[in-house]
């Protein structure tokens, strides 16, 4: 109650005519983050719900937490640490990536909102966490800052902000960093955090080994073979938040239970990836179990948190099945047919982001044609 009174006293200063009215968008962003907006409609029929966009985004952030926490632990585990020591080491390595992503992204978001006199978009609450989670742990901070700025400016603001973007901003940041600064984003060393006073640890990711040798490779520390169980749990090198399929599935359960993510898209991505994995097996192109595609690399993370983005994915129910299936299928096709680029999920999702409106268009057109035929039959 005291906080509400304090905000109410400050509000006139930031409202129209106040001394700091030019910061009205910034004040509104903090107010609506702390409290549910008290504005109501005055006419027409509307459905009212206290779960506004900011709270929806916070639920998505909560769904990301299991993968993030395990990713922090895995950073330390990959260099030979265990227990709380591994988690704390990873926490100190990952935290700067998160801070840089949020500081740069929110600064640009607030700047555009102030210059336009618009409300601050809520979407970066999620994008700001997704970006560091799909980066290698040893990526330079200046690359994270540059990639974040590119994603916010050219991935969102040029289209009009949150809800208007064609491509997933977090994946745009990853794509920009990968193609502009490939040596810092790929190879064997970037997946391992530097340890003071110790020789650098390096090794191929399980996905890279799968594409070259048909096996998951060996652990950089200890040299033991990586098992499918290791890959499912996430005890393998990779991007910060993408390694643990188990943690990602916990996040998926949260998104599905709250109704935020579409189960149609999510399920279709896994079905598409598994179907084409079996197809390549039948054709003799690959010999390893097709399900490995689902538990290594960014496949599961992309299926749960990227492909289901309600802004950049399909809007119709049939469109969600089509786009989801094609996303999973295309990811496996890129992995198998392009040895130079073993991770196909990022490109697959971005490509289907561009096609999703077209898929929805044909779905709607077909529904309209069917309805017109039905009307003519009745007459």
């Amino acid at each position: 109650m005291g906080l509400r009174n304090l905000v109410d006293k400050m509000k006139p200063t930031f409202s129209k005519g106040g001394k700091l009215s030019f910061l009205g968008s910034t004040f509104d962003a903090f107010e609506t983050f702390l409290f549910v907006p008290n504005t109501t409609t005055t006419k027409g029929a509307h459905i009212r719900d206290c779960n506004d966009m900011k709270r929806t985004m916070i639920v998505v952030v909560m769904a990301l937490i299991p993968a993030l926490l395990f990713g922090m632990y895995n950073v330390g585990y990959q260099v030979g640490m265990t227990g709380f020591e591994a988690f704390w080491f990873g926490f100190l390595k990952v935290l700067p990536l998160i801070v840089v992503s949020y500081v740069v992204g929110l600064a640009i978001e607030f700047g555009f909102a102030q210059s336009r006199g618009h409300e601050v978009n809520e979407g970066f609450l999620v994008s700001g966490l997704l970006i560091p989670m799909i980066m290698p742990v040893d990526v330079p901070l200046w690359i994270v800052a540059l990639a974040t700025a590119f994603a916010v400016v050219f991935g969102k603001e040029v289209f009009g902000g949150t809800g208007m973007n064609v491509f997933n901003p977090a994946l745009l940041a990853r794509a920009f960093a990968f193609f502009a600064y490939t040596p810092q984003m790929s190879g064997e060393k970037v997946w391992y955090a530097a340890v003071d006073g110790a020789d650098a640890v390096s090794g191929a990711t399980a996905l890279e080994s799968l594409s070259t040798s048909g096996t998951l490779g060996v652990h950089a520390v200890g040299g033991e073979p990586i098992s499918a169980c290791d890959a499912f749990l996430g005890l393998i090198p990779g991007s910060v938040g993408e390694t643990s399929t188990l943690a990602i599935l916990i996040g998926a359960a949260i998104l599905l239970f709250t109704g935020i993510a579409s189960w149609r898209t999510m399920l279709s991505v896994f079905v598409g990836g598994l179907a084409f994995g079996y197809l390549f097996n039948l054709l003799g192109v690959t010999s390893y179990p097709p399900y490995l595609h689902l538990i290594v690399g960014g496949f599961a993370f992309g299926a749960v948190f990227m492909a289901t983005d309600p802004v950049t994915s399909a809007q119709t129910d049939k469109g969600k099945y089509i786009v989801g299936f094609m996303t999973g299928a295309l990811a496996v096709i890129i992995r198998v047919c392009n040895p130079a680029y073993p991770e196909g999920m990022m490109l697959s999702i971005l490509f289907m982001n561009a096609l999703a409106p077209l898929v929805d268009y044909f779905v709607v057109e077909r529904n309209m044609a069917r309805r017109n035929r039905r009307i003519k039959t009745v007459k």
Side-chain angles (χ1 to χ4, degrees), residues 46 240 329:
H46 298 272
V240 174

Side-chain angles (χ1 to χ4, degrees), residues 11-75:
K11 193 168 186 176
T13 306
F14 295 91
S15 300
K16 187 175 181 180
K19 295 180 180 180
L20 301 178
S21 59
F22 63 95
L23 294 176
S25 297
T26 303
F27 179 82
D28 177 76
F30 284 106
E31 182 186 17
T32 54
F33 183 82
L34 294 172
F35 304 101
V36 175
N38 58 1
T39 54
T40 58
T41 54
T42 57
K43 59 182 178 180
H46 298 272
I47 297 175
R48 296 179 175 85
D49 193 341
C50 64
N51 190 30
D52 63 357
M53 185 59 69
K54 284 187 177 65
R55 277 126 195 105
T56 299
M57 294 297 102
I58 290 174
V59 172
V60 180
V61 170
M62 292 174 59
L64 286 166
I65 294 300
L68 175 63
L69 294 179
F70 186 88
M72 291 177 175
Y73 170 81
N74 190 49
V75 168

Side-chain angles (χ1 to χ4, degrees), residues 68-151:
L68 175 63
L69 294 179
F70 186 88
M72 291 177 175
Y73 170 81
N74 190 49
V75 168
Y77 179 84
Q78 292 304 317
V79 293
M81 302 178 185
T82 57
F84 182 76
E85 180 189 19
F87 173 79
W88 185 247
F89 175 82
F91 174 81
L92 294 179
K93 292 293 184 179
V94 176
L95 182 61
L97 302 180
I98 298 175
V99 171
V100 169
S101 174
Y102 272 117
V103 169
V104 173
L106 288 177
I108 297 174
E109 290 262 10
F110 275 73
F112 271 95
Q114 289 295 156
S115 63
R116 295 172 176 172
H118 293 171
E119 294 182 358
V120 177
N121 295 324
E122 300 90 349
F124 199 78
L125 290 174
V126 173
S127 299
L129 188 57
L130 283 174
I131 291 173
M133 290 182 69
I134 59 177
M135 294 283 185
V137 64
D138 213 28
V139 61
L141 295 180
W142 64 269
I143 291 182
V144 177
L146 194 58
T148 301
F150 176 86

